[in-house]
Every structure is written in structure tokens, then in C-alpha cells.
């Protein structure tokens, strides 16, 4: 079984994803979140770090778990109950966790946005949706019906999409930002799109989409963010010659 040192692999990920340079939400803690004894023999990838996905990684005999949503969005203490069980499993099974949120969202090759745009057939993409001091999405100018756009999105994610058909039937300026960017709807419209694709958003975005006359398409937070962790794990597997697996744990949200 191949055995790769953990630290060089982590350093490679940090450089590849520009982990230290990219701003993110407070508490995202991009990079290595949990260390192991220093070796990697198998990589597992999943969207969310949680007790169930940690158990799945252990069952898959992985010693590195790559996630998009990490462990530390808010205070995690005290380490009792659920937290104690999680910590105990990580240590006893020598499982490391590497998390990449915004750096993985908009990586030009491995990112959630880039891969989803490619699957949607959107070409000539350029940066879109300026937030957190940088653009966090992509946009494309093309002519496509909103009905076809929904079909392509559902085909790409394998999940149902929710369309708020408040804009033109034929879309020409399409913005994509995976995950939970519904709250950025006004900003997206301000950047000139007539269709905005993201994962999920708040109830009030329905009325806002109608008021702003824009097509709003929700593909699911989880469903639109499986692409990046898969691509990163596959890339690392090829470069470092260790096996990898994807752990599907859909939320339906």
C-alpha cells in the first residue's frame, strides 16, 4: 500500500488552492484542520465534515478526509457528548481532515463554479459576484432557454432544481455561484445577470427575484458543491499515487 507523508501533501494543497491568500467567512479555517500521525494511504472526499461522514471515512479505511465545509464555523467547545465522540474517533483512527471552502469554490480548474459551468455548457466564463474582497462566482454570455438551463443543472447535479421564473424566457447573461449565495441576489442582479444559479437561499429571495425580474435557479447547496472535493481528491490521487473515494452524504438542502 502506498504511503505518502501528510505535510508535503498539505503544503501542495495550500499552494494549489492559494489557501493563505483567499479571504473567507470567519471560522472557515481553510487548510489542515485535524492532523494525523503523518501519513496518507487513502483519501476520502465529502462535502461536510460531521460525525456521520467521519464514520464513513473510517469505514472506507481513509486516513485523510477532504471536505468543503469544515469543523470550525463557530465555537466547538466544550469537547463533550457529540464533540467528544468525534474527537475520539479522529484520534483513535488516525484520521486527518483538510478543509477548503472559498478557495475550492472558485479555483479555475478544480473549483465548484468552474466545473458546474462546464457541465452546464457555459463557455467564455469570467469572474462574477464580488464579495469578501474577491469575485466568488462566474458568469457567461450565451443564449439559452431557462427551461433548458434547469434541465442541464438537474443533469449535472442529479438533484431537482427550483426555478423562480421571473426573468426572460431566453437567458443571455447567466451568473453561477454554488452553495448558499441566494442572499447575494441583489448583488448578482446589480452585476447585470438575467439568470442566477446557486444552491439555496432565503424565502424572501422569491419576492426579490420577481421584483428584480430575474430568473433565480436553486440547485441545492449540497448538490452544487460535490464537484470540487471530487476534483481535488482525484487530482491528489493522480499526483501522489494514492487511492481515493467519494463519500456521498446528501442533505437534500
Amino acid at each position: 500500500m502506498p504511503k505518502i507523508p501528510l505535510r508535503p501533501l498539505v503544503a501542495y494543497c495550500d499552494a494549489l488552492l492559494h489557501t493563505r491568500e483567499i479571504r473567507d467567512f470567519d471560522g472557515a479555517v481553510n487548510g489542515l484542520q485535524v492532523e494525523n500521525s503523518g501519513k496518507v494511504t487513502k483519501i476520502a472526499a465529502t462535502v461536510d465534515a460531521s460525525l456521520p461522514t467521519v464514520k464513513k471515512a473510517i469505514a472506507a479505511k481513509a486516513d485523510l478526509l477532504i471536505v468543503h465545509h469544515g469543523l470550525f464555523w463557530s465555537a466547538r467547545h466544550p469537547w463533550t457528548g457529540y464533540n467528544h465522540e468525534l474527537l475520539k474517533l479522529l484520534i483513535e483512527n488516525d484520521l486527518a481532515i483538510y478543509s477548503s471552502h472559498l478557495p475550492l469554490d472558485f479555483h479555475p480548474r478544480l473549483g465548484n463554479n468552474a466545473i458546474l459551468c462546464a457541465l452546464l455548457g457555459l463557455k467564455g466564463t469570467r469572474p462574477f459576484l464580488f464579495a469578501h474582497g474577491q469575485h466568488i462566482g462566474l458568469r457567461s454570455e450565451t443564449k439559452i432557454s431557462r427551461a433548458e438551463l434547469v434541465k442541464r443543472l438537474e443533469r449535472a447535479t442529479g438533484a431537482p432544481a427550483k426555478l423562480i421564473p421571473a426573468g426572460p424566457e431566453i437567458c443571455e447573461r447567466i451568473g453561477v455561484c454554488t452553495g448558499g449565495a441566494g442572499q447575494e441576489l441583489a448583488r448578482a442582479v446589480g452585476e447585470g445577470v438575467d439568470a442566477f444559479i446557486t444552491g439555496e437561499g432565503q424565502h424572501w429571495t422569491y419576492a426579490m427575484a420577481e421584483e428584480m425580474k430575474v430568473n433565480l435557479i436553486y440547485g441545492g447547496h449540497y448538490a452544487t458543491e460535490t464537484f470540487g472535493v471530487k476534483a481535488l481528491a482525484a487530482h491528489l490521487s493522480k499526483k501522489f499515487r494514492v487511492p481515493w473515494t467519494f463519500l456521498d452524504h446528501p442533505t437534500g438542502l
Side-chain angles (χ1 to χ4, degrees):
M1 179 180 292
K3 187 181 296 186
I4 303 300
L6 175 67
R7 282 294 174 178
L9 190 152
V10 168
Y12 177 81
C13 286
D14 287 344
L16 175 69
L17 301 169
H18 302 284
T19 299
R20 302 295 170 242
E21 296 92 72
I22 293 175
R23 299 177 184 177
D24 208 325
F25 294 88
D26 292 339
V29 193
N30 291 309
L32 186 64
Q33 291 194 338
V34 179
E35 196 169 10
N36 68 5
S37 62
K39 69 180 188 304
V40 177
T41 59
K42 185 176 182 180
I43 298 170
T46 195
V47 175
D48 304 295
S50 66
L51 184 57
T53 57
V54 164
K55 288 180 177 179
K56 286 186 175 185
I58 293 167
K61 300 188 183 307
D63 35 35
L64 173 61
L65 178 61
I66 292 175
V67 301
H68 185 52
H69 302 131
L71 293 170
F72 303 113
W73 295 96
S74 58
R76 191 95 204 191
H77 56 277
W79 289 93
T80 58
Y82 178 99
N83 285 336
H84 177 261
E85 183 181 0
L86 176 63
L87 181 61
K88 187 170 183 286
L89 283 173
L90 290 171
I91 293 173
E92 288 181 347
N93 293 279
D94 203 28
L95 180 62
I97 295 180
Y98 185 95
S99 178
S100 187
H101 186 234
L102 288 187
L104 190 54
D105 272 323
F106 53 82
H107 188 274
R109 186 164 47 89
L110 305 176
N112 289 312
N113 291 311
I115 295 174
L116 181 55
C117 282
L119 291 172
L120 293 173
L122 302 180
K123 300 178 180 179
T125 57
R126 56 191 176 88
F128 160 73
L129 202 60
F130 191 82
H132 300 281
Q134 64 240 323
H135 289 95
I136 61 174
L138 293 172
R139 64 176 292 169
S140 174
E141 277 71 46
T142 187
K143 286 190 176 182
I144 181 174
S145 73
R146 64 192 180 200
E148 176 62 21
L149 202 53
V150 169
K151 286 181 182 177
R152 292 186 186 184
L153 179 60
E154 292 181 335
R155 191 181 308 127
T157 63
K162 170 66 178 179
L163 167 66
I164 303 170
E169 186 175 345
I170 301 299
C171 308
E172 298 186 19
R173 301 177 305 279
I174 302 159
V176 175
C177 186
T178 61
Q183 62 186 355
E184 303 291 349
L185 177 60
R187 193 189 303 268
V189 175
E191 293 189 21
V193 300
D194 57 22
F196 181 39
I197 298 171
T198 185
E200 64 170 335
Q202 297 83 348
H203 176 78
W204 50 262
T205 58
Y206 192 106
M208 179 177 282
E210 292 179 319
E211 292 167 3
M212 293 188 162
K213 297 180 173 57
V214 63
N215 293 307
L216 177 58
I217 308 173
Y218 287 137
H221 196 139
Y222 177 90
T224 61
E225 294 197 321
T226 62
F227 309 108
V229 290
K230 289 179 181 177
L232 178 58
H235 176 79
L236 295 174
S237 174
K238 183 177 181 180
K239 180 172 180 62
F240 292 95
R241 298 183 180 181
V242 291
W244 79 281
T245 186
F246 177 66
L247 309 174
D248 196 20
H249 193 68
T251 64
L253 301 173

